[in-house]
Amino acid sequence: MGFIDRIKEKARQNVKTIVLPESNDRRTLEAVEQILKEGTAKLILLGDPEKVTADAKELGVSLEGVSIVNPANDKNFESYVQLLYECRKAKGMTEEKARDTLSNDILTYGVVMVKAGAADGMVAGACHSTADTLRPALQIIKTTPGVKSVSGFFIMDVPNCELGDDGIFLFADCAVNQNPDPVQLAEIATNSARTFEALTGGVPAVAMLSHSSKGSSKHPDVDKVVEATRLAREAHPDINLDGELQLDAAIIPVVAESKAKGSPVAGHANVLIFPDLDAANIGYKMVQRLAKAEAYGPMLQGIAKPVNDLSRGCYTEDIVGVVAFTAVQAQMCENK
């Protein structure tokens, strides 16, 4: 059974409800039919039921079993207005502004549904930017108790690869923190370890990546990674984590022998923590495009309920996969 098939099987064991705001997107409607057939989630589409149904019919897509909610006449609209107002009033939100936002911002509407418990998670981003998708989640749902920083990760499934966990890696932070300081980087690392274990069932081996391996280069950027490694180990000595490591030292055993001999992680890392957003974003896209890897994400960790982003260049299958991951994350939230 392939990795994504294992995730889908987990999702089917305790089916969750996921809201998809982008009902105007062809890929979303095509994904809905497949998700319902596979039984990995119950689905809510946001939009005008007549238009959504007509669009689906034109595509030859069945929406049997999906709930279509039109914010314009949703019986819960006013209660959502109050919820949004209460969440954001300290930031200047008024009831009038909350009503206007929910009438015009479909992504915020989906996030508020998750906050209210009408859905267990949300997936969007096929036709919206990452910033527009994640901003309402960070503002309204906020972080898991005890977590200070929300971060974004990708699960990378590299075909015909024995590195990592048989080709499975977690890359972070690929979406949220532009240039994390050592404290943030340490928390990204430890959260990523927990996420990897929960989603894959594998044992995390966390590499704190740099252009330096074990002091081979001196620079403030290297110092940041070294300090983050120290903080992460101090806070969570149970996690198998090491740094600073160059990418080849982190994943290639023979290189690890020469560059980081004696490291408990070097040569077999499966969780790769990049020093900044530029490196992480470039890294995941290189692996996706050049190694033909499946890239699931960016998904959020550290948030109280799951909201996940899609690339605007995503395929229908990507949406199907991210919905399954989101459903499993919702199970994880329930079990905390």
Side-chain angles (χ1 to χ4, degrees), residues 238-274:
D238 57 308
I239 294 176
N240 189 21
L241 178 149
D242 199 17
E244 86 283 16
L245 294 170
Q246 293 168 303
L247 186 280
D248 54 356
I251 65 173
I252 308 294
V254 66
V255 177
E257 273 295 304
S258 64
K259 289 188 175 183
K261 191 175 182 64
S263 167
V265 167
H268 63 275
N270 49 33
V271 177
L272 304 182
I273 306 302
F274 292 80

Side-chain angles (χ1 to χ4, degrees), residues 114-136:
V114 175
K115 177 72 172 179
D120 299 303
M122 184 181 94
V123 173
C127 49
H128 290 87
S129 70
T130 293
D132 286 343
T133 301
L134 302 187
R135 187 183 305 109

Side-chain angles (χ1 to χ4, degrees), residues 1 8 11 23 87 94 113 121 161 174 248 252 282 290 301 312 320 325:
M1 183 183 290
K8 290 178 179 179
S23 63
C87 286
T94 64
M113 290 183 75
C161 178
C174 303
D248 54 356
I252 308 294
I282 293 166
L290 300 183
Q301 57 187 355
R312 279 172 284 180
V320 173
F325 275 106

Side-chain angles (χ1 to χ4, degrees), residues 133-311:
T133 301
L134 302 187
R135 187 183 305 109
L138 300 178
Q139 291 175 341
I140 297 164
I141 297 177
K142 302 181 181 177
T143 59
T144 302
V147 173
K148 295 179 181 177
S149 299
V150 171
S151 54
F153 69 92
F154 274 84
I155 294 290
M156 306 297 296
D157 185 358
V158 186
N160 305 312
C161 178
E162 296 180 356
L163 303 176
D165 191 358
D166 288 329
I168 305 299
F169 294 86
L170 186 151
F171 287 13
D173 174 1
C174 303
V176 180
N177 298 283
Q178 178 66 49
N179 189 15
D181 63 28
V183 174
Q184 291 172 313
L185 199 59
E187 187 171 51
I188 290 166
T190 55
N191 286 344
S192 294
R194 305 298 191 208
T195 297
F196 182 86
E197 184 175 19
L199 287 179
T200 72
V203 178
V206 184
M208 309 294 285
L209 297 183
S210 172
H211 69 273
S212 170
S213 287
K214 297 298 183 178
S216 64
S217 179
K218 303 297 182 183
H219 191 275
D221 288 347
V222 177
D223 296 339
K224 178 180 82 168
V225 178
V226 171
E227 176 64 6
T229 302
R230 185 189 70 79
L231 292 172
R233 282 175 163 170
E234 186 177 89
H236 295 277
D238 57 308
I239 294 176
N240 189 21
L241 178 149
D242 199 17
E244 86 283 16
L245 294 170
Q246 293 168 303
L247 186 280
D248 54 356
I251 65 173
I252 308 294
V254 66
V255 177
E257 273 295 304
S258 64
K259 289 188 175 183
K261 191 175 182 64
S263 167
V265 167
H268 63 275
N270 49 33
V271 177
L272 304 182
I273 306 302
F274 292 80
D276 59 39
L277 187 58
D278 286 338
N281 188 273
I282 293 166
Y284 102 75
K285 287 181 178 176
M286 286 187 69
V287 175
Q288 180 187 33
R289 300 300 180 181
L290 300 183
K292 309 298 183 185
E294 295 292 340
Y296 299 102
M299 291 176 279
L300 289 185
Q301 57 187 355
I303 195 165
K305 293 185 178 182
V307 172
N308 288 318
D309 186 31
L310 298 160
S311 166

Side-chain angles (χ1 to χ4, degrees), residues 66-147:
V66 70
S67 173
I68 305 175
V69 172
N70 187 352
N73 55 27
D74 185 2
K75 67 181 187 302
N76 295 312
F77 183 87
E78 287 302 321
S79 68
Y80 294 161
V81 168
Q82 290 301 311
L83 190 155
L84 179 57
Y85 165 66
E86 290 296 331
C87 286
R88 299 291 294 163
K89 63 183 180 182
K91 299 294 184 179
M93 179 66 70
T94 64
E95 290 188 27
E96 181 180 357
K97 187 175 179 181
R99 188 172 288 104
D100 181 67
T101 299
L102 290 174
S103 296
N104 294 289
D105 185 346
I106 202 72
L107 298 182
T108 297
Y109 203 91
V111 167
V112 170
M113 290 183 75
V114 175
K115 177 72 172 179
D120 299 303
M122 184 181 94
V123 173
C127 49
H128 290 87
S129 70
T130 293
D132 286 343
T133 301
L134 302 187
R135 187 183 305 109
L138 300 178
Q139 291 175 341
I140 297 164
I141 297 177
K142 302 181 181 177
T143 59
T144 302
V147 173

